[in-house]
């Protein structure tokens, strides 16, 4: 197996480079581990929070259902004057407590009794029990002793499990304050004191009560409530049964829940540490109870809920690994391995590229030099081609001018002399030789036609009117366009005679010729407008028509050399060329050149390739 140093470039194949690579891989792997573990723990934390909120919602719903059972029982006693214990037994049996409300152990009614009526009330209750109440024992108010009033249990279901509580005065030991508060407010109340028959070493039973008044209660004042108070309906339930079913349905195992009553005797929050623990799912026979403390490997959520007039606090905890799958537990290590390997490979690649830096820089410099040379050569070629085109154009115009002048001077003079001779012959033969006279007239007509053709050829080569100036040449060309094409053409030239060089005037005249020629051949226009202006040292000429305009893509055709010629003439004169056209909206050609523009290249020199390269460098 090759050593790791052999994979590094020679310049980096040292112990220092290896140590740096290992350090980088370790740091990156650790970062990957931390980020992945944090993300997984965050997801688990969110699932735990949702689970805790679900537990609270279920507890609230169960407590509400217990309160609904209590209110239903209270309505039964409030609306029935002569409710028998048999009727109450059938009512409770119909609730199916064990299946529908498994936490409720008993439902009862406690009658309020004035201290002076104790003996009479006991005798009355014993008569009722003897006559109709099967399963109820003898009624005696307990605990014994004389008190100003009693709140004795007179209805209990199921009686078989709570017969010893029949006649128990629930206001005798610690519950009086909660009962009096419920009597004066008409609301649910709970003393928070465990019920002895329902409580034991590993369970706590609590009661929830609702006061009942006579139906003729005049108002809701405290005095009226006390005067018309009959007693209270209560339920006794097991906190363990209330909670255990909820914990068993949770998706995570080994969830611990601790429920504590955090309300003091005055009904306010108790923050002095003297709080009553009602339930702890971790408490089992033979298992020592441990306090619930926050640890790094445990999630803890603290929730609060209302129970009557009291405040409960539920603490839910679970080990973090219980909310993670095996894949979640292994994923941070996999991420750490991948991060370390990838960073190590990137480090090797970085070292490789770094060792090749000089070669890359030299290669880039050579490529840059070649590109600059190619760019210089291309610029040199473009400049020379442009100058060659300008030179060729000037030569062509000079040649046209020379040919037109030679035709005018030589052929024109010969034709003029020939016409004079033919005219003299026609005059002399007009009377005596009619046939010869007719032939002389025909010759004159042919000579005139030839002279017109020669003049047209001269104008096509170079109109002599150009010698009279740009304004005269433009005016003559527009008149020729009107005569040949039959299209209305308007000339606007607000300025007087425009003085420009012969080359500039020729270029503007040729551009006007090309524009009008394109209009007559392609535009199908009925009106043309030509504007010739001088503004701020610039001569501008605008040719617009109301024709069909240019179709999309027509300007880029390979055969459209007219527009290319116009643009090239403007480049030679350092001018500006702009073409505006829309299909069906006509075409406008606008050109602008400096007043002192001159396309004469006689004094220009061609740039050699070496000079162009030096200029770019």
């Amino acid at each position: 197996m090759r050593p790791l140093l052999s994979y590094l470039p020679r310049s980096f194949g040292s112990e220092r480079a290896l140590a740096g690579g290992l350090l980088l891989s370790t740091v990156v792997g650790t970062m990957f581990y931390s980020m992945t573990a944090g993300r997984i723990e965050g997801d688990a934390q969110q699932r735990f929070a949702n689970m805790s909120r679900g537990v609270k919602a279920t507890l609230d719903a169960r407590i509400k259902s217990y309160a609904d059972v209590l209110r239903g029982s209270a309505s039964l006693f409030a609306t029935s004057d002569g409710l028998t214990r048999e009727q109450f037994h059938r009512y409770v049996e119909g609730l199916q407590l064990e299946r529908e409300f498994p936490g409720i152990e008993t439902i009862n009614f406690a009658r309020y009794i004035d201290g002076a009526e104790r003996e009479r009330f006991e005798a009355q209750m014993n008569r009722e029990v003897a006559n109709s109440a099967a399963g109820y024992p003898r009624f005696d108010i307990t605990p014994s002793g004389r008190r100003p009033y009693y709140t004795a249990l007179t209805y209990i279901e199921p009686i078989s499990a709570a017969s010893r509580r029949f006649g128990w005065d629930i206001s005798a030991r610690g519950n009086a304050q909660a009962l009096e508060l419920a009597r004066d407010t008409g609301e649910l109340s709970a003393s928070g004191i465990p019920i002895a028959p329902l409580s034991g070493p590993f369970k706590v039973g609590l009661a929830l009560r609702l006061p009942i008044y006579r139906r003729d209660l005049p108002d809701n004042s405290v005095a009226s409530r006390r005067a018309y108070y009959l007693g209270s309906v209560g339920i006794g339930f097991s906190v363990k049964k209330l909670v255990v079913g909820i914990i068993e349905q949770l998706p995570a195992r080994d969830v611990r829940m601790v429920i504590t009553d955090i309300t003091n005797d005055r009904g306010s929050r108790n923050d002095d540490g003297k709080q009553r623990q009602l339930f702890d799912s971790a408490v089992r026979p033979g298992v020592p109870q441990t306090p619930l403390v926050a640890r790094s490997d445990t999630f803890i959520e603290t929730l609060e809920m209302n129970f009557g007039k009291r405040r409960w606090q539920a603490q839910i905890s679970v080990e973090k690994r219980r909310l993670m799958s095996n894949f979640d537990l292994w994923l941070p290590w996999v991420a750490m391995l991948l991060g370390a390997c990838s960073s190590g490979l990137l480090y090797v690649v970085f070292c490789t590229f770094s060792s090749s830096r000089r070669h890359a820089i030299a290669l880039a410099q050579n490529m840059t030099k070649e590109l600059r040379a190619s760019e210089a050569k291309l610029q040199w070629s473009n400049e020379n081609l442009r100058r060659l085109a300008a030179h060729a154009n000037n030569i062509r115009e000079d040649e046209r001018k020379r040919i037109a002048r030679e035709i005018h001077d030589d052929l024109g003079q010969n034709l003029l002399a020939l016409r004079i001779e033919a005219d003299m012959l026609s005059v002399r033969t007009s009377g005596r030789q009619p046939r010869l006279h007719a032939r002389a007239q025909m010759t004159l007509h042919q000579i005139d036609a030839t002279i017109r053709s020669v003049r047209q050829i001269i104008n096509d080569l170079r109109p002599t009117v150009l010698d009279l100036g740009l304004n005269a040449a433009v005016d003559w060309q527009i008149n020729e366009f009107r005569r040949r094409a039959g299209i209305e053409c308007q000339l606007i030239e607000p300025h007087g005679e425009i003085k420009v060089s012969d080359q500039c005037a020729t270029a503007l005249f040729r551009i006007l010729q090309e524009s009008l020629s394109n209009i007559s051949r392609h535009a199908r226009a009925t009106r043309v407008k030509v504007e010739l202006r001088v503004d701020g040292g610039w001569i501008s000429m605008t040719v617009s028509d109301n024709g069909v305009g240019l179709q999309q893509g027509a300007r880029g055709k390979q055969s459209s050399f007219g527009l290319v010629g116009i643009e090239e003439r403007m480049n030679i004169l350092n001018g500006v060329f702009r073409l505006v056209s829309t299909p069906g909206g006509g075409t406008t050609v606008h050109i602008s050149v400096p007043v002192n523009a001159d396309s004469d290249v006689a004094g220009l020199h061609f740039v050699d390739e070496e000079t162009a390269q030096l200029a770019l460098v």
Side-chain angles (χ1 to χ4, degrees):
M1 187 174 181
R2 295 175 60 187
L4 182 59
L5 286 174
S6 63
Y7 289 97
L8 296 174
R10 182 172 301 175
S11 59
F12 288 89
S14 62
E15 294 182 358
R16 181 177 297 178
L18 178 60
L22 292 176
L23 178 61
L24 177 63
S25 299
T26 303
V27 172
V28 174
T30 305
M31 289 175 58
F32 273 54
Y33 178 89
S34 300
M35 290 188 296
T36 307
R39 180 64 180 272
I40 293 175
E41 184 174 336
D43 293 342
Q45 177 75 44
Q46 185 62 41
R47 290 195 297 271
F48 176 70
N50 294 336
M51 183 181 71
S52 301
R53 286 193 291 269
V55 169
K56 179 181 182 301
T58 305
L59 281 174
D60 288 339
R62 287 195 176 186
I63 293 174
K64 182 179 182 301
S65 66
Y66 290 1
D68 292 341
V69 171
L70 187 60
R71 288 189 175 90
S73 302
S75 299
L76 176 67
F77 280 94
T79 56
S80 302
D81 293 333
L83 181 67
T84 65
R85 286 165 181 78
E86 181 64 25
Q87 291 173 335
F88 182 62
H89 171 75
R90 288 196 301 269
Y91 171 77
V92 174
E93 188 178 34
L95 293 176
Q96 300 180 355
L97 297 179
E98 187 174 353
R99 188 183 70 179
E100 301 296 337
F101 309 95
I104 298 179
E105 300 284 350
T106 178
I107 302 178
N108 57 72
F109 174 71
R111 181 63 181 261
Y112 176 79
I113 307 164
D114 188 83
E117 297 182 358
R118 172 176 176 170
E119 288 74 10
R120 185 189 63 79
F121 186 79
E122 287 179 340
Q124 178 185 348
M125 287 296 301
N126 285 318
R127 286 194 300 271
E128 292 180 3
V129 170
N131 292 332
S132 62
Y136 278 81
R138 175 180 173 81
F139 182 82
D140 291 309
I141 296 178
T142 56
S144 60
R146 304 297 298 185
R147 290 179 291 278
Y149 65 90
Y150 308 90
T151 309
L153 296 175
T154 57
Y155 289 79
I156 303 176
E157 286 294 336
I159 187 61
S160 58
S163 59
R164 296 177 59 185
R165 303 292 289 179
F166 186 58
W168 181 262
D169 181 9
I170 61 175
S171 62
R173 296 180 179 176
N175 295 334
Q177 184 177 359
L179 292 173
E180 291 173 357
L181 179 63
R183 177 198 63 192
D184 294 342
T185 60
E187 298 178 354
L188 291 170
S189 69
S191 65
I193 300 175
I195 302 175
L198 302 181
S199 301
F202 303 106
K203 63 179 181 177
V204 174
L206 296 176
L208 189 65
R209 308 201 68 82
L210 183 66
I212 299 177
Y213 308 93
R214 293 202 304 267
R215 282 182 290 179
D216 55 348
L217 178 67
D219 53 50
N220 291 325
S221 64
V222 174
S224 298
R225 290 182 185 275
R226 291 179 179 178
Y228 287 79
Y229 179 60
L230 291 177
S232 63
V233 176
I235 60 172
F237 65 91
S238 169
V239 179
K240 182 178 181 180
K241 290 183 179 180
L242 172 70
V243 178
V244 169
I246 300 175
I247 297 178
E248 292 174 352
Q249 296 175 1
L250 295 179
R253 296 182 301 167
D254 298 333
V255 177
R256 183 180 180 184
M257 180 186 295
V258 177
I259 298 179
T260 308
D261 188 344
I262 59 175
T263 311
N264 57 25
D265 295 337
R266 296 182 300 276
S268 59
R269 184 184 179 94
N270 190 356
D271 295 324
D272 58 1
K274 298 179 181 180
Q275 300 171 345
R276 180 180 291 112
Q277 182 173 296
L278 304 178
F279 174 77
D280 188 349
S281 61
V283 175
R284 296 181 181 87
V287 178
Q289 184 176 2
T290 58
L292 186 61
V293 295
R295 301 200 309 268
S296 59
D297 61 342
T298 305
F299 290 130
I300 296 181
E301 184 80 15
T302 301
L303 306 171
E304 293 188 4
M305 61 194 75
N306 293 320
F307 176 72
K309 288 293 185 179
R310 307 191 71 81
R311 193 74 174 165
W312 282 5
Q313 182 184 79
Q315 289 182 300
I316 305 172
S317 68
V318 66
E319 293 183 358
K320 295 178 181 180
R321 61 186 181 89
R322 297 297 184 184
L323 294 171
M324 302 178 187
S325 63
N326 291 331
F327 177 77
D328 293 334
L329 296 175
W330 282 102
L331 184 58
W333 296 100
V334 174
M336 180 179 181
L337 179 61
L338 292 177
C341 293
S342 60
S343 60
L345 292 175
L346 289 175
Y347 180 75
V348 172
V349 173
F350 170 75
C351 292
T352 302
F353 281 124
S354 298
S355 65
S356 304
R357 182 174 179 273
R358 290 185 180 179
H359 176 69
I361 292 176
L363 181 61
Q365 288 176 346
N366 291 334
M367 292 177 62
T368 303
K369 185 176 180 181
E370 292 177 1
L371 288 174
R372 287 182 176 178
S374 300
E375 185 179 354
K377 187 175 182 179
L378 181 60
Q379 183 175 349
W380 166 75
S381 299
N382 289 337
E383 288 293 331
N384 284 344
L385 286 175
R386 180 161 292 174
R387 294 174 186 276
L388 180 61
H391 182 64
N393 186 64
N394 286 341
I395 292 176
R396 183 171 59 251
E397 290 295 338
D398 291 341
E399 189 66 16
R400 283 183 173 185
K401 184 176 180 180
R402 184 187 63 81
I403 293 173
R405 185 174 289 113
E406 288 182 358
I407 292 174
H408 178 272
D409 294 343
D410 295 341
L411 184 58
Q413 290 181 6
N414 292 336
L415 287 175
L416 181 59
L418 182 59
R419 190 185 189 286
I420 292 173
E421 293 294 332
D423 184 61
M424 291 175 61
L425 179 62
S426 174
V427 171
R428 290 176 183 177
T429 59
S430 60
R432 292 175 296 177
Q433 297 178 353
R435 293 180 62 186
L436 184 58
H437 176 73
R439 295 293 300 271
Q441 287 292 324
M442 291 178 59
T443 301
L444 280 174
H445 291 316
Q446 290 177 355
I447 292 173
D448 290 338
T450 302
I451 292 174
R452 287 194 297 272
S453 297
V454 169
R455 288 177 179 173
Q456 185 62 44
I457 292 172
I458 292 173
N459 288 330
D460 290 341
L461 288 172
R462 175 183 167 80
T464 56
V465 73
L466 271 173
D467 297 331
L468 301 178
L470 178 62
N471 297 72
V474 170
D475 186 65
W476 176 84
Q477 182 60 43
I478 289 176
N479 290 329
E480 283 293 305
F481 174 74
R482 292 193 190 113
R483 182 179 61 82
R484 291 184 180 182
I487 299 175
E488 178 186 350
C489 185
Q490 179 185 5
L491 173 62
I492 300 175
E493 47 178 352
H495 302 279
E497 187 67 23
I498 300 175
K499 299 294 184 181
V500 293
S501 64
D502 183 64
Q503 287 78 12
C504 182
T506 302
L508 294 175
F509 180 78
R510 294 301 182 192
I511 291 173
L512 178 61
Q513 269 189 327
E514 181 65 31
S515 300
L516 294 178
S517 176
N518 288 337
I519 291 173
S520 63
R521 288 200 307 264
H522 308 296
R524 298 201 293 272
T526 60
R527 187 173 62 258
V528 181
K529 182 171 67 174
V530 179
E531 297 185 44
L532 189 63
R533 299 177 181 273
V534 178
D535 186 12
W538 286 78
I539 302 172
S540 63
M541 183 173 67
T542 304
V543 182
S544 58
D545 64 74
N546 63 346
V548 296
L550 289 177
Q551 299 299 321
Q552 187 174 3
R555 185 175 180 180
K557 289 183 178 179
Q558 295 182 356
S559 59
S560 60
F561 294 108
L563 296 178
V564 175
I566 294 175
E567 190 170 3
E568 190 61 31
R569 289 179 185 274
M570 287 296 99
N571 289 333
I572 293 173
L573 294 173
N574 295 321
V576 178
F577 167 61
R578 186 170 68 252
L579 177 67
V580 180
S581 178
T582 55
T587 303
T588 299
V589 176
H590 179 82
I591 60 172
S592 297
V593 296
V595 174
N596 57 354
D598 194 347
S599 62
D600 188 7
V601 296
L604 298 178
H605 62 281
F606 289 94
V607 180
D608 56 66
E609 183 177 357
E610 183 178 359
T611 304
Q613 293 181 10
L614 291 175
L616 281 179
V617 175

